[in-house]
Amino acid sequence: MSQPESSLMSRLVSLSKRRGFIFQASEIYGGLNGFWDFGPLGCQLKNNLRDQWWHDMVECPPLGPDGKPLSIVGLDSSIIQHPRTWEASGHAAGFADLMVDCRESKHRYRADHILCLEVFYEKAGVKKPLGVLSALEGDEFDTTIIKKAKKLMQKAGGGEILPIEASLAVPFTTLSKEQQGLVIGLDAENVGTLTEPRAFNLMFHTYVGVFQDEDSKVYLRPETAQGIFLQYKNIMDSSRVKPPFGVAQVGKSFRNEVTPRNFIFRAREFEQMEMEFFCPPEDGMMWYEFWVAERLRWWESVGCRKENLFGHVIPENEVAHYSKGTTDIEYRWPFTAPNFGELEGVAYRTDYDLKQHAAFSKTNLDYIDQEAKRRYVPHVVEPASGLTRGVLLLLAEGYQYDESRASPEWLKIKPSLAPIKLGIFPLVNKDGMPEVAEKLYLDLRQTYTCQFDAKQSIGKRYARMDEAGTPFCITVDGETLKDQAVTIRDRDTASQERVALDKVRAYVAAKLASA
Ligand code: ATP
């Protein structure tokens, strides 16, 4: 099957816009980098994935290793919490990269990615410094440097550039302030265009109340998890849960990402689905392994092919100091293929977070186990996934291209997650057909998301539903009034079946349950 020239990502972006899955935020004002709006189909798809996660995590959690259902409860905590929260969690001090801005090109770079080299030239037998030139790590250092050096040389009135030794280049961060002031930025023409390296915290801040000063400064949460730790004690005291148990939360998180990119993969405002599983310290490793396996299984259950998922065990020297194990659940994204990129992180966080919050808030967060007559701070295993990234996965995984179909581009989304479950059409808008179709629609829409469509040819209507990923289309035709039956078309096979009107409900229920 021949494929279009454009990349899968650009096709996903344009299909998303054309069919109302995802739009650029503030598009009429030129957009705002890193922000996205979910349109009619997109928010339905996102809600369905969220509800499935909530169902499988909170309402009907998996069975534990002993065959008994796990105990997991829900929470919806504030986006803005007491600012001490982020001091205790480490986000206030540590959630930062050192960044350098170029005043001329307006580009921003990670300071440790800029390499600098002092260059000399010779004129009338005298060696003179030409300037400090910079290039980005991974760039072709020599070419960049020589091009810039030649320009500078012209300004200096000509001469001979002394051989450049790229191996002598050093990171921008190791230069003195004076030297930093002499550097020519990567995309700049003039000297001294780079600012000093500044810690760039990824948290957005705002102020609470009338006065805007350090005392009223608060942060938009960069993850939902911390809200769970803050309420862990209240939840235990009010819900009769005790370790091992989990608290799950879905909600918006905000990160001022330096380079938001790859559509909704790395956004500045996004949604997470996180669960903190509290357990006795000695069982931490067992639960960590349990959740890694369980989360891989779950992504498969929502329609991800096994070969596109990968459990990447993070090497010990790369995990956070408090973690006793982290596995990233990775997906083969269109822009990483054949490699994988993060979809969800499963981390064994030990008792770090609860101990930090206990110390910073001066609150005792021990669990007192009455039966075993002991007290301890529970250990925590955290499966932290991205709802926004999950939607991108469903689109990428579901995208199909088949030139022989009325709509070559169509979405094979698992029926239970599809934004619209049923398209309901009168074949033509006369002869009693609209009335029957409308009656069916008014009945079925009480149970399923349905779309009634009486415009354009039936082929075009099927094509529109295929692009939206609608699994079944029901057509009322000229025969219906005689045989009291309709045609039901299956999205995946494009095959049609005749079903009696009074059997449609049962047919659809069975199909949706089995698919
Ligand atoms: P990355 O390494 O991709 O920046 P991370 O390790 O910082 O991700 P976590 O802090 O573990 O991410 O957050 C858990 C999940 O939240 C991620 O697996 C991802 O699905 C989602 N997520 C994190 N940052 C973003 C973002 N900027 N845009 C969309 N989703 C995100």
Side-chain angles (χ1 to χ4, degrees), residues 255 257 264-267 270 272 342-345 384-386 389:
R255 295 183 189 180
E257 297 279 359
I264 55 172
F265 176 83
R266 188 172 300 288
F270 55 96
Q272 292 184 305
E342 182 172 336
L343 166 67
E344 167 164 353
S385 66
R389 277 190 198 174

Side-chain angles (χ1 to χ4, degrees), residues 35 201-206 218-220 254-256 268:
F35 295 89
N201 194 292
L202 297 184
M203 282 196 294
F204 284 100
H205 70 258
T206 184
V218 291
Y219 299 92
L220 304 193
F254 302 81
R255 295 183 189 180
N256 199 0
R268 288 178 165 143

Side-chain angles (χ1 to χ4, degrees), residues 368-392:
I368 300 163
D369 186 342
Q370 308 280 8
E371 283 162 33
K373 296 195 187 352
R374 66 164 182 163
R375 60 161 63 215
Y376 60 86
V377 177
H379 276 213
V380 170
V381 175
E382 173 195 79
S385 66
L387 174 56
T388 317
R389 277 190 198 174
V391 171
L392 184 57

Side-chain angles (χ1 to χ4, degrees), residues 116-353:
C116 299
L117 186 60
E118 207 172 353
V119 184
F120 295 89
Y121 79 118
E122 209 174 69
K123 200 172 173 186
V126 184
K127 180 180 160 187
K128 293 182 179 175
L130 184 64
V132 185
L133 303 170
S134 62
L136 256 198
E137 200 176 51
D139 274 358
E140 271 186 61
F141 203 85
D142 291 355
T143 333
T144 322
I145 288 286
I146 288 168
K147 238 171 38 196
K148 276 192 197 167
K150 280 191 175 150
K151 270 194 190 158
L152 270 189
M153 180 78 79
Q154 279 165 1
K155 278 191 193 164
E160 190 86 19
I161 303 170
L162 294 176
I164 291 168
E165 282 193 55
S167 59
L168 297 178
V170 292
F172 185 75
T173 39
T174 61
L175 299 183
S176 69
K177 260 195 187 155
E178 199 187 333
Q179 282 175 315
Q180 286 181 351
L182 293 173
V183 172
I184 301 193
L186 304 132
D187 302 321
E189 302 273 320
N190 299 300
V191 175
T193 57
L194 295 181
T195 63
E196 276 177 40
R198 290 183 283 224
F200 182 77
N201 194 292
L202 297 184
M203 282 196 294
F204 284 100
H205 70 258
T206 184
Y207 300 93
V208 166
V210 184
F211 298 105
Q212 304 206 340
D213 53 25
E214 279 304 306
D215 291 339
S216 63
K217 195 168 169 185
V218 291
Y219 299 92
L220 304 193
R221 68 180 176 202
E223 60 175 38
T224 61
Q226 298 303 322
I228 297 178
F229 297 123
L230 267 50
Q231 293 299 356
Y232 134 92
K233 194 100 186 161
N234 275 338
I235 290 170
M236 274 204 308
D237 291 348
S238 60
S239 327
R240 291 182 165 233
V241 284
K242 58 184 179 87
F245 75 101
V247 180
Q249 162 151 252
V250 182
K252 289 254 167 140
S253 290
F254 302 81
R255 295 183 189 180
N256 199 0
E257 297 279 359
V258 178
T259 39
R261 69 207 139 106
N262 295 323
F263 197 24
I264 55 172
F265 176 83
R266 188 172 300 288
R268 288 178 165 143
E269 175 177 339
F270 55 96
E271 274 174 272
Q272 292 184 305
M273 308 186 286
E274 300 194 290
M275 197 272 291
E276 307 302 316
F277 197 75
F278 301 90
C279 64
E282 62 276 14
D283 295 341
M285 214 54 199
M286 185 263 287
W287 286 113
Y288 164 61
E289 281 158 16
F290 173 87
W291 281 110
V292 170
E294 181 54 33
R295 296 305 301 150
L296 279 164
R297 191 201 59 76
W298 189 82
W299 284 108
E300 271 185 65
S301 79
V302 294
C304 187
R305 277 161 290 181
K306 204 184 181 91
E307 66 267 27
N308 287 342
L309 282 174
F310 172 60
H312 176 190
V313 181
I314 308 296
E316 228 170 90
N317 59 346
E318 286 177 32
V319 299
H321 64 92
Y322 50 78
S323 175
K324 275 203 182 156
T326 300
T327 299
D328 281 352
I329 295 184
E330 299 186 340
Y331 174 66
R332 199 194 304 265
W333 303 99
F335 49 86
T336 58
N339 297 320
F340 295 77
E342 182 172 336
L343 166 67
E344 167 164 353
V346 183
Y348 176 15
R349 302 179 64 97
T350 66
D351 53 9
Y352 177 77
D353 305 88

